[in-house]
Amino acid sequence: MDLTKQIRPSNHSGIMELKNYGITLEPLNIESIETVRIWRNQTQVNQFMDYQKIISKEEQLDWFKKIQNSNSEYYIIKKGNDQIGMIHLNQINNTTKSAEAGIFIGNNDFNGTGITLGASLLLLNHAFTTLELEIIYAKVKNSNSNAIKYNQLLGFTEDNPFNSEFTIWKIMNTTFFDIKPKLIQLLY
């Protein structure tokens, strides 16, 4: 039985708020984009990103406008009232039943707390159950050993090199549903 609560938000995007494991994934809104920009510009975050330039307020607003009509879902990770980071699905493709996922923690007070695991479980469950996707990809920087170990923990396997600095990882829905009970146990 899946205990994930999906709540229809009162925002224009139609993206559902997701809740479980004491965590909320709140659809990204205009009020949160400055916080995301500040997090994204932190060295501990942007050093592992493909795009590493400092993002201006104008660039952030342009990006936010662009994703409003795209095949993507961006969420703020929250624990109570604390905003912790961002997680997303983008390039959602209903024909290939695939998407690309990403996550980062901007609030360092929550590093190592298991919040990312709960957030990833929520997002992957949503992708494979509600959206009925079959495969999720993640682009991981080869020098980011923590992200590589984390993706392996979630059940992702290497797919193919993206370029000399990044590798594409993937997880199939069947793998996720097989490993999900073990991952939930890690939360408690």
Side-chain angles (χ1 to χ4, degrees), residues 14-78:
I15 298 172
M16 293 186 289
E17 180 177 275
L18 307 174
K19 281 186 168 189
N20 203 353
Y21 317 117
I23 300 164
T24 301
L25 300 185
E26 180 180 274
L28 182 66
N29 58 48
I30 191 80
E31 292 82 17
S32 300
I33 65 169
E34 179 60 12
T35 300
V36 170
R37 185 186 76 83
I38 291 167
W39 289 338
R40 182 63 175 71
N41 284 337
Q42 294 173 2
T43 302
Q44 71 266 19
V45 173
N46 81 359
Q47 68 179 321
F48 297 117
M49 299 294 181
D50 199 2
Y51 185 83
Q52 295 185 346
K53 294 179 182 172
I54 298 299
I55 299 166
S56 71
K57 288 182 180 185
E58 295 78 21
E59 290 169 321
Q60 185 74 353
L61 182 59
D62 288 345
W63 167 80
F64 182 73
K65 288 175 183 174
K66 181 179 155 188
I67 66 167
Q68 295 310 295
N69 296 315
S70 67
N71 292 329
S72 61
E73 296 184 5
Y74 285 81
Y75 298 92
I76 296 293
I77 304 166
K78 292 179 75 174

Side-chain angles (χ1 to χ4, degrees), residues 7 9 14 16 22 46 56-57 79 130 133 155 165 170 179 188:
I7 301 166
M16 293 186 289
N46 81 359
S56 71
K57 288 182 180 185
K79 176 84 173 172
T130 308
L133 301 178
E165 291 186 57
K170 69 179 179 183
I179 200 168
Y188 300 104

Side-chain angles (χ1 to χ4, degrees), residues 117-155:
L117 180 57
S120 295
L121 281 167
L122 275 170
L123 187 76
L124 290 171
N125 192 72
H126 170 67
F128 292 134
T129 304
T130 308
L131 301 179
E132 299 179 344
L133 301 178
E134 295 176 359
I135 188 166
I136 302 295
Y137 296 98
K139 182 168 61 173
V140 180
K141 191 161 190 179
N142 298 332
S143 63
N144 191 345
S145 59
N146 288 336
I148 290 169
K149 290 175 193 169
Y150 179 69
N151 279 282
Q152 290 172 329
L153 172 74
L154 290 173

